[in-house]
């Protein structure tokens, strides 16, 4: 299953979940071999392409492997509907797979039902294998499917005293190149990057996901501008990169409705203090990525604008889930505090500088 999760992570961000599949020889399923013989592997490479299970079956055929009686280890319950591709449950049954091990059951009512069809066909189905790891990999997609809106990550890059720019407006660069490289990996995993017109006019960002050498990665998120003012004709947003979408509103909920209609599952809000405050005040932030640099400015705009909070009792409390050193900087990943009495996750601390 861990290998299937590794394969799933290769998949691009998009409307479909990132899924991986490993096919194992029958002797693994019966315990007659200490280690499994891999017959085929696959992962979903994007909308309209074969799903992970079908890709693994194709890989097995190319290897000349017989998959009858094999075990399919899949990170998400095989789908049971016909869309751009056929049902994976049917493909596994037709191939003669005898056992299917699943990490996460599919919450999407349109696609769910694969486990039931497999069982009805006599296939042994086991669910919940490494479920926590699978759920973490699929967290934004699972949230979007269950809640009917994209998962929202708010990204902040600030000094220790919470400034995102100096008093003269200069902000390049507060964080180190290590932190900026990490931020580009995050960009490559989302479906859209959202900024306000103020950020567009002040910084002229390109909002692209780039590799270490500065070239564009294959998947480029939508570049979404929020607000009434026009995007200048010569803006870098009109250059190479993802499609430009201008949403002429100041309502974060409307922005997410537009993104949902475009089948965006994960939105990264990178706008300035005003946009950050708008999404936080609306209760539409699911996760915060705060890149903190050991820098002090003492003046300049803050990371978050006025939230209308006048007493500490009303502060928005976050629960850290990860702390990651990035060169001289630190990334703190945190989520809004759950209701009183609800369990919280442990904080994960890593000394790795790059993923």
């Amino acid at each position: 299953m861990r290998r299937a999760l590794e394969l799933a992570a290769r998949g691009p961000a998009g409307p479909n979940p990132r899924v991986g599949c490993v096919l194992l020889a029958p002797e693994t399923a019966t315990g007659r071999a200490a280690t499994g013989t891999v017959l085929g592997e696959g992962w979903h490479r994007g909308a309209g392409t074969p799903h992970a299970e079908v890709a693994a079956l194709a890989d097995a055929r190319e290897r000349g492997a017989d998959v009858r009686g094999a075990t399919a280890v899949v990170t998400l319950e095989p789908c049971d509907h016909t869309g751009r591709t056929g049902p994976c449950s049917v493909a596994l049954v037709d191939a003669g797979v005898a056992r299917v091990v699943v990490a996460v059951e599919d919450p999407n009512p349109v696609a769910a039902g694969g486990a039931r069809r497999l069982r009805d066909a006599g296939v042994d189905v086991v669910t919940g294998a490494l479920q926590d790891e699978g759920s973490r990999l699929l967290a934004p997609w699972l949230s979007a499917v269950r809640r009917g809106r994209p998962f929202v990550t708010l990204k902040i890059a600030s000094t220790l005293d919470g400034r995102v720019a100096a008093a003269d407006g200069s902000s390049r660069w507060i964080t180190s190149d290590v932190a900026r490289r990490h931020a580009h990996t995050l960009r490559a995993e989302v479906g859209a990057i959202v900024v306000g017109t103020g950020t567009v006019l002040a910084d002229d960002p390109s909002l692209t996901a780039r590799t270490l050498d500065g070239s564009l990665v294959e998947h480029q998120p939508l570049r979404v501008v929020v607000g009434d003012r026009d995007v200048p004709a010569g803006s870098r947003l009109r250059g190479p990169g993802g499609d430009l979408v201008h949403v002429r509103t100041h309502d974060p909920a409307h922005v997410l409705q537009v993104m949902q209609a475009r089948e965006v599952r994960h939105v990264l809000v990178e706008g300035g203090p005003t946009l950050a405050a708008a999404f936080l005040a609306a209760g539409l932030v699911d996760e915060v990525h705060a890149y903190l640099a050991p820098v002090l400015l003492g003046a300049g705009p803050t990371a978050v604008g006025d939230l209308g909070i006048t007493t500490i009792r009303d502060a928005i409390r976050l629960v850290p889930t990860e702390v990651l050193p990035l060169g001289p900087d630190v990334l703190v990943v945190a989520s809004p505090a759950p209701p009183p009495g609800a369990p919280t996750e442990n904080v994960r601390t890593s000394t790795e500088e790059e993923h």
Side-chain angles (χ1 to χ4, degrees):
M1 184 60 78
R2 287 195 170 88
R3 173 59 178 168
L5 290 167
E6 291 175 3
L7 294 170
R10 298 180 183 181
N16 300 109
R18 302 160 81 186
V19 183
C21 176
V22 178
L23 294 171
L24 300 177
E27 60 264 32
T28 304
T30 58
R32 291 198 296 268
T35 58
T37 300
V38 174
L39 303 178
E41 297 182 333
W43 67 94
H44 186 47
R45 298 171 185 262
T49 65
H51 288 188
E53 300 92 326
V54 174
L57 290 170
D59 183 43
R61 284 195 299 270
E62 290 180 4
R63 300 185 191 198
D66 183 358
V67 300
R68 288 174 295 179
T71 293
V73 181
V74 193
T75 56
L76 181 68
E77 177 185 356
C79 69
D80 194 49
H81 82 297
T82 300
R84 299 180 187 179
T85 59
C88 293
S89 57
V90 173
L92 292 171
V93 171
D94 290 346
V97 169
R99 188 168 186 249
V100 177
V101 179
V102 175
V104 180
E105 295 183 56
D106 196 336
N108 186 352
V110 175
R116 182 177 62 250
R117 182 186 290 272
L118 289 163
R119 290 189 177 106
D120 290 346
V123 177
D124 179 25
V125 179
V126 177
T127 61
L130 296 185
Q131 181 175 344
D132 289 346
E133 289 90 333
S135 295
R136 279 198 292 271
L137 175 71
L138 290 167
W141 182 83
L142 289 170
S143 173
V145 169
R146 290 167 176 159
R147 301 168 72 174
R149 68 159 177 84
F151 183 88
V152 176
T153 296
L154 172 62
K155 176 201 159 192
I156 295 171
S158 74
T159 63
L160 284 183
D161 54 347
R163 309 291 175 174
V164 293
D168 65 356
S170 60
S171 61
R172 294 185 179 180
W173 295 102
I174 287 176
T175 55
S176 67
D177 58 345
V178 179
R180 294 196 299 275
R181 287 200 302 269
H182 186 277
H184 277 281
T185 65
L186 176 61
R187 283 184 173 185
E189 294 177 355
V190 303
I193 303 174
V194 180
V195 299
T197 53
T199 295
V200 172
L201 297 174
D203 297 340
D204 189 24
S206 60
L207 301 184
T208 54
R210 298 186 293 277
T211 62
L212 289 176
D213 64 8
S215 59
L216 299 181
V217 302
E218 182 178 358
H219 165 72
Q220 290 296 318
L222 295 177
R223 298 180 286 186
V224 182
V225 177
V226 177
D228 295 326
R229 289 177 289 182
D230 292 334
V231 176
S235 170
R236 292 202 294 169
L237 288 176
R238 300 189 184 278
D243 290 343
L244 173 61
V245 180
H246 192 170
V247 186
R248 295 181 184 272
T249 184
H250 294 285
D251 180 5
H254 180 62
V255 175
L256 296 186
Q257 289 172 1
V258 173
M259 294 297 96
Q260 178 73 6
R262 285 178 166 263
E263 296 187 309
V264 172
R265 305 301 187 210
H266 191 179
V267 165
L268 178 62
V269 176
E270 280 199 10
T274 300
L275 192 66
F279 271 85
L280 285 166
L284 293 175
V285 172
D286 301 301
E287 182 179 70
V288 175
H289 280 224
Y291 295 86
L292 302 176
V295 176
L296 299 173
L297 285 173
T302 57
V304 177
D306 186 5
L307 290 169
I309 295 173
T310 58
T311 176
I312 194 67
R313 182 182 63 250
D314 297 331
I316 297 176
R317 301 285 180 176
L318 305 176
V319 177
T321 57
E322 184 175 9
V323 176
L324 179 64
L326 294 169
D329 307 320
V330 174
L331 168 64
V332 177
V333 180
S335 300
T344 60
E345 298 182 8
N346 293 328
V347 178
R348 301 191 306 276
T349 302
S350 172
T351 57
E352 296 177 358
E353 291 191 350
E354 298 177 52
H355 284 4

